[in-house]
Amino acid sequence: MSKYIVKNNGALHGTVRISGAKNAALPIMAAALLSDGVCVLDDIPDLRDVSNMIDIINHLGGSVKQLHKNSYEFFCGNINDFSAPYETANKLRASFLVMGPLIAKYGYTKIPLPGGCPIGSRPVDLHLKGFAALGADVSLEHGYAEVKAKRLHGANIYLDFPSVGATENIMMAACLADGQTVIANSAVEPEIVDLANFLNLMGAEITGAGTDSIKISGVKSLLGGNYTIIPDRIEAGTFMIAAAITGGKVRLENVVCDHLKPLSAKLREIGIKAEEGGSSVTVSCENPLHSCDIKTLPFPGFPTDMQAQLCALMSTVSGTSIITETVFENRFMHIGELQRMGAKIKLDGRTAVIDGTSLTGAEVRATDLRAGAALCLAGLCADGVTSVSGTEYVERGYEDFAGKLTSLGADIQLT
Ligand code: EPZ
């Protein structure tokens, strides 16, 4: 099993380019299934999740051509299979996002229910309720969701929770439905806006993306289009914390500062400087950092995908910090691993009470991609060597993680 071997090599310095957003690229690649034409997508990050999504699209009959490292051409005019095999779909929860396009365009799909994962049970009831509201017949058996629809019709849908995936799946299904759909209490993450922008480029009629009420007027068909994926705000946040935890100074290029607001505000509260400039942000620490309290929330709240990385940082900052995870029911698997590095953390349900201290290197295990990244960040400032197993998790969501950190002066080897 491969590992990251991380040593404390002092403060990080330099410039790093942020890749395209994994959580925008995956739904947008699924959306290419709706198109009758050719779609060229740029700034697609080079990740395991991306290659798994490409495998699924190829399995369905789509053709995907890599034009450059981060650029792909999709043609999905010859779809001839409407279900994804368990062994492929099971590697990638986002495989569920092909359902909306397949139901809308072909009236049938059968996809394995995504299992749970270390951060929670990950239900899909809101996706399926949305499809049913649009007139589809949904049945669950033998671990699969089978959805049939002669013709989808518009509907008014209220999401019990502003689910990112459910908003995306329903929005894609509604694009080709007869009539108008309104998704109320929809997720407002930047990745939703990116998907809506891509769909509108293809000829969809979507308004309100980025607000909690999205209106979709169904159209007959969608064309192709060329589109560039937004930068990854979570990768950016991870490198901002890498700079902070080592007391360095790092400039991040290819960011959308607005998307980083929830994190930048919190880092400034802790005493970290974040100087924004167009499509870059420079992070530095000139004063001693201090403790903070934070609660993860759907956007524009503090992102759950940054919670593990913040735990790592606050484990090294003197004072008591209280971090509450409200989005996923089991997203503290990294706490036990940080404790093995000497972190003083008490867990009470969805709240972690952290007393900052100095960390020591240890053998630790990644339990999800953000936890894996957080443990590497902790290793950057720990005394001694940290080995992080479960690198396949990190490779799912971070393009060339070790390479980018090394370019900033970190001592991290992928073995
Ligand atoms: C997306 O997952 C992201 N993944 C996650 O990023 C991110 O953590 C999450 O949104 C929240 O921001 C992708 O975009 C590929 P949700 P998703 O549906 O869509 C409950 C990462 O690290 N829920 O917004 O699965 C669910 O249990 C990953 O990059 C239902 O109850 O998230 C959870 O408690 C991890 N029923 C909450 O909503 C449903 O039908 C948030 O889930 C769907 C969700």
Side-chain angles (χ1 to χ4, degrees):
M1 176 160 30
S2 60
K3 291 177 180 162
Y4 288 116
I5 305 300
V6 189
K7 291 175 192 159
N8 180 341
N9 197 31
L12 298 190
H13 286 93
T15 299
V16 63
R17 183 185 187 278
I18 298 304
S19 302
K22 164 178 85 82
N23 292 349
L26 295 173
I28 285 173
M29 289 162 70
L33 291 164
L34 285 163
S35 167
D36 292 331
V38 172
C39 298
V40 175
L41 300 178
D42 290 319
D43 239 1
I44 294 274
D46 179 17
L47 304 171
R48 201 179 285 252
D49 274 7
V50 165
S51 43
N52 285 333
M53 181 60 93
I54 288 170
D55 290 348
I56 290 168
I57 291 172
N58 281 326
H59 168 88
L60 298 170
S63 78
V64 185
K65 213 171 15 180
Q66 185 165 14
L67 304 176
H68 309 294
K69 179 167 177 281
N70 300 107
S71 176
Y72 292 83
E73 182 187 86
F74 293 75
F75 176 67
C76 300
N78 303 324
I79 297 300
N80 51 29
D81 192 327
F82 308 100
S83 63
Y86 175 75
E87 56 285 348
T88 317
N90 196 37
K91 291 179 199 160
L92 174 68
R93 172 182 167 73
S95 54
F96 212 67
L97 293 174
V98 305
M99 293 199 89
L102 292 176
I103 301 162
K105 197 153 182 231
Y106 304 99
Y108 179 78
T109 183
K110 182 176 178 182
I111 299 288
L113 288 165
C117 66
I119 64 176
S121 61
R122 310 298 295 275
V124 288
D125 56 309
L126 299 177
H127 301 235
L128 300 175
K129 269 164 68 177
F131 297 149
L134 294 170
D137 294 323
V138 177
S139 63
L140 301 181
E141 51 188 25
H142 307 302
Y144 281 78
E146 187 172 30
V147 185
K148 301 174 185 165
K150 279 195 183 50
R151 187 99 185 89
L152 293 181
H153 57 68
N156 290 327
I157 296 166
Y158 177 83
L159 292 180
D160 300 347
F161 181 89
S163 155
V164 170
T167 302
E168 291 165 344
N169 235 338
I170 296 165
M171 190 160 73
M172 290 190 281
C175 280
L176 300 181
D178 281 336
Q180 177 175 283
T181 295
V182 176
I183 307 173
N185 196 29
S186 49
V188 302
E189 274 71 2
E191 293 76 24
I192 305 282
V193 178
D194 213 29
L195 174 61
N197 289 342
F198 173 61
L199 290 166
N200 283 337
L201 174 81
M202 290 157 62
E205 290 178 13
I206 301 171
T207 54
T211 75
D212 64 357
S213 174
I214 300 177
K215 205 174 285 175
I216 306 107
S217 302
V219 295
K220 286 276 167 276
S221 64
L222 293 178
L223 308 169
N226 296 9
Y227 194 75
T228 300
I229 305 294
I230 53 170
D232 193 317
R233 60 192 170 98
I234 305 301
E235 184 195 18
T238 304
F239 279 93
M240 291 169 84
I241 290 195
I245 206 169
T246 60
K249 180 169 184 172
V250 174
R251 175 186 158 88
L252 282 67
E253 293 185 337
N254 190 39
V255 299
V256 176
C257 293
D258 261 359
H259 297 169
L260 300 176
K261 274 201 174 5
L263 179 70
S264 311
K266 187 45 69 178
L267 294 182
R268 288 186 185 113
E269 189 189 315
I270 297 167
I272 295 154
K273 216 169 158 191
E275 294 164 289
E276 297 171 0
S279 61
S280 73
V281 60
T282 300
V283 176
S284 58
C285 315
E286 276 136 26
N287 315 308
L289 305 184
H290 35 83
S291 59
C292 77
D293 296 346
I294 191 75
K295 192 181 272 194
T296 68
L297 286 166
F299 197 87
F302 186 88
T304 174
D305 293 348
M306 284 302 305
Q307 179 257 104
Q309 301 90 313
L310 191 73
C311 282
L313 174 63
M314 301 325 289
S315 297
T316 68
V317 171
S318 58
T320 302
S321 300
I322 299 176
I323 298 182
T324 305
E325 170 60 56
T326 72
V327 178
F328 288 105
E329 71 269 24
N330 186 34
R331 200 168 197 173
F332 277 133
M333 304 279 276
H334 45 281
I335 298 294
E337 301 304 302
L338 286 169
Q339 286 168 332
R340 300 193 60 248
M341 298 177 71
K344 294 194 180 100
I345 306 175
K346 286 192 204 67
L347 255 189
D348 175 10
R350 289 198 175 197
T351 297
V353 180
I354 302 174
D355 285 320
T357 183
S358 53
L359 300 180
T360 58
E363 290 166 320
V364 290
R365 185 175 55 85
T367 48
D368 73 85
L369 72 149
R370 308 304 174 188
L375 292 168
C376 290
L377 300 187
L380 294 177
C381 68
D383 176 24
V385 180
T386 300
S387 81
V388 183
S389 61
T391 59
E392 63 281 3
Y393 280 112
V394 179
E395 288 156 13
R396 285 189 51 189
Y398 289 92
E399 180 175 301
D400 192 17
F401 189 58
K404 288 188 178 183
L405 281 172
T406 303
S407 73
L408 296 172
D411 183 348
I412 174 170
Q413 311 282 335
L414 178 58
T415 59

